[in-house]
Amino acid sequence: MANDPGLRRLALGTLLGAFPGVQAPAWAVDLLGEGMAGHLLFGYNIVDRDQVAALTAQLHAARDGVLIAIDEEGGDVTRLAHRLGSPYPGNAALGALGDPAITRRVYRTIGAELDQLGLNLNLAPTVDVNTADDNPIIGTRSFGADPHLVAAHTAAAVLGLQSARVAACAKHFPGHGATLADSHLELPTVDITLDELRGRELPPFVAAVEAGAKSIMSAHIRVPALTGDAPATFSRAVLVDLLRTELGFTGVVVTDALEMLGAARFAGSTQAGAVLALAAGADLLCIGAEVDEKLTLACVDEIVTAVQDGRLPLARLEEAVARVQALSDWTRQGDRTDREEPGLGYPAALSAVRIEGSVDRSDAPLIVQLESESSIAAGRVPWGLGPHVNGTEQIRVVAEQTAAEELRARAGARPIVVVGRNVHRLPGARTLVDTLAAAHPVTVVEMGWPSSWRPAHARAFITTWGASHANGRAAAETLGLAA
């Protein structure tokens, strides 16, 4: 049984792999031909539209029904536009704009673009209710902090994507919005009661199910009242009892990347996590970003061995493969709207901008951009006002290494515009901005998730709700500095 080809093909049928490079290596194509479910594309796989279309054609040629996935959330998390930034506002801006019809149009346009490029599964939208201002991984990826607002935009996003016959994947179940840790690096805990979970975290997922979402992604988070010490990805109480039995979800459960430390440390390895996830009720196993042939085959071997030694019932593996196949079939059926609205994201981003105070457009300012690290989910994508302004001087500084007096001296008589992401969390940023604003005309442009903090003497506090290319343009226009 160790070399049982039937079991091997079943194991492959649950895997969503990845590979380096802008062309698929032979092993990645060969495994698709042998029954592997599909691959997930990252920014390092992408150069431009023509290259992506050629890559997906190469993958589709391996076998009918291959799933080709991507994290194209718009806003801060983009793969197609990772070189310049997304032309769409992210979820936080769409939530602030408050019109689900626009959210549906934005996601329909994203879906149409993905479909035209040969992609059929979008690991979006993020539907977590972001209730923690210091959440290091969700933030502007969320539609907001109100469960009912998030639910309305979730339904719109799902319907928009799937009108283009691109499967939506609502994430991260049962809700990553209250965490203060990043599940890429550790196992976060959401210590709330089941009633609190149902009232705050679950409404968007209920909306996703009711809108017909074809897939839902599990979170590598611990909810002690439900999962005990285990991540939700490895919990039948979450994936079966709650998601399937209580919420009535019948689609595909996709895992978050199993290489993430929130899962891999608990399981002992990525391949061990694959077995635990399947046993808990997951169907499609996202291996991660750092994937090669060796790791992929290790996952296959571990799944086969688990069936052979009784850790994983054969019927559970067959059920997972059947659900993945049904998803694949859906992507190849029915009509597609394929209606893109080029440029839609820019006016939407502008409409989402919120201004507190008064913006003085009479004098050209000194623009000071505060350096900040990118989240692992977003990666290093250009952001800020850089490409959008009309020649106004811009500098980049590290807040904790910069003195207010230096900036005032450089600005001279000019006002200062401070641009940052999650300014309240950047080391030294609050002190720097407060000191500047106490003695100089200062406007703050917040391009991350805003907290309750506001510099006492700033002339204006502008919130863009994201740092995409569209958000940057919106900020420049709001300040009267657009080229």
Side-chain angles (χ1 to χ4, degrees):
M1 239 180 121
N3 296 313
D4 186 326
L7 268 183
R8 185 177 188 275
R9 189 171 185 87
L10 285 173
L12 280 167
T14 66
L15 296 184
L16 186 65
F19 53 84
V22 297
Q23 292 183 323
W27 66 265
V29 176
D30 291 344
L31 288 178
L32 292 177
E34 294 170 24
M36 187 174 179
H39 286 297
L40 173 61
L41 301 189
F42 290 88
Y44 54 67
N45 298 123
I46 292 170
V47 177
D48 55 35
R49 288 176 66 106
D50 290 343
Q51 173 267 329
V52 173
L55 174 57
T56 60
Q58 179 190 12
L59 298 174
H60 283 299
R63 176 175 55 81
D64 289 340
V66 168
L67 293 174
I68 307 179
I70 195 168
D71 287 284
E72 194 59 39
E73 299 179 14
D76 294 354
V77 178
T78 178
R79 307 298 185 235
L80 292 180
H82 71 100
R83 292 169 180 262
L84 296 176
S86 176
Y88 305 103
N91 286 356
L94 293 171
L97 184 54
D99 187 346
I102 293 178
T103 297
R104 183 168 178 167
R105 289 166 59 197
V106 166
Y107 272 88
R108 182 186 67 194
T109 299
I110 292 172
E113 181 177 11
L114 296 181
D115 178 55
Q116 290 169 3
L117 294 175
L119 295 139
N120 51 22
L121 172 59
N122 192 9
L123 302 185
T126 295
V127 307
D128 305 294
V129 181
N130 197 81
T131 53
D133 287 348
D134 290 336
N135 194 317
I137 194 61
I138 303 301
T140 59
R141 301 167 67 196
S142 166
F143 288 113
D146 178 84
H148 303 293
L149 177 145
V150 176
H153 287 275
T154 294
V158 168
L159 292 170
L161 273 177
Q162 294 187 171
S163 70
R165 221 62 186 178
V166 171
C169 184
K171 60 189 185 185
H172 307 79
F173 190 79
H176 210 312
T179 60
L180 296 176
D182 181 351
S183 53
H184 291 85
L185 304 173
E186 58 185 290
L187 178 58
T189 296
V190 179
D191 196 2
I192 58 177
T193 67
L194 295 183
D195 285 343
E196 289 173 322
L197 183 79
R198 291 186 175 96
R200 187 181 72 190
E201 313 295 341
L202 294 189
F205 293 101
V206 172
V209 172
E210 292 177 349
K214 294 301 174 182
S215 64
I216 288 178
M217 178 179 285
S218 65
H220 304 326
I221 62 168
R222 175 178 170 266
V223 185
L226 194 61
T227 71
D229 292 330
T233 297
F234 302 150
S235 170
R236 284 187 63 83
V238 171
L239 302 188
V240 177
D241 300 344
L242 182 58
L243 181 55
R244 295 211 181 273
T245 303
E246 185 172 328
L247 271 59
F249 180 61
T250 59
V252 169
V253 174
V254 183
T255 70
D256 209 343
L258 292 172
E259 69 174 7
M260 291 166 57
L261 296 183
R265 277 183 180 163
F266 182 90
S269 67
T270 299
Q271 55 267 36
V275 172
L276 292 178
L278 283 170
D283 306 304
L284 183 59
L285 310 177
C286 176
I287 301 175
E290 301 293 329
V291 179
D292 57 16
E293 182 180 16
K294 181 180 178 181
L295 178 57
T296 306
L297 294 179
C299 291
V300 173
D301 291 343
E302 188 68 17
I303 293 168
V304 170
T305 300
V307 173
Q308 293 171 338
D309 65 24
R311 285 176 292 147
L312 179 64
L314 176 60
R316 168 79 272 272
L317 180 59
E318 291 173 333
E319 177 185 57
V321 173
R323 288 192 182 126
V324 173
Q325 184 59 55
L327 173 62
S328 170
D329 292 343
W330 176 86
T331 66
R332 293 177 286 162
Q333 298 168 355
D335 297 329
R336 287 160 159 76
T337 60
D338 278 352
R339 288 182 294 168
E340 291 189 66
E341 297 183 63
L344 170 66
Y346 291 91
L350 182 60
S351 296
V353 172
R354 296 294 176 263
I355 303 172
E356 301 168 51
S358 177
V359 177
D360 183 358
R361 300 178 177 87
S362 60
D363 296 316
L366 170 66
I367 300 173
V368 179
Q369 181 166 319
L370 303 180
E371 298 281 12
S372 66
E373 293 184 356
S374 302
S375 73
I376 295 174
R380 295 186 63 82
V381 177
W383 68 281
L385 275 60
H388 308 286
V389 298
N390 55 5
T392 301
E393 183 184 6
Q394 302 180 69
I395 61 173
R396 300 172 73 105
V397 304
V398 176
E400 62 182 341
Q401 299 174 8
T402 304
E405 292 75 14
E406 295 175 24
L407 298 179
R408 289 185 61 207
R410 181 153 184 167
R414 295 175 294 171
I416 294 174
V417 172
V418 178
V419 182
R421 296 187 298 190
N422 308 306
V423 176
H424 69 283
R425 293 211 314 261
L426 293 178
R430 287 195 190 194
T431 299
L432 176 63
V433 175
D434 282 331
T435 304
L436 273 177
H440 202 93
V442 170
T443 293
V444 176
V445 178
E446 173 59 80
M447 302 191 74
W449 184 269
S451 70
S452 59
W453 170 78
R454 298 292 184 273
H457 302 288
R459 285 186 173 182
F461 192 95
I462 298 172
T463 305
T464 63
W465 303 98
S468 74
H469 193 271
N471 295 133
R473 180 73 189 182
E477 292 185 14
T478 300
L479 292 164
L481 300 176

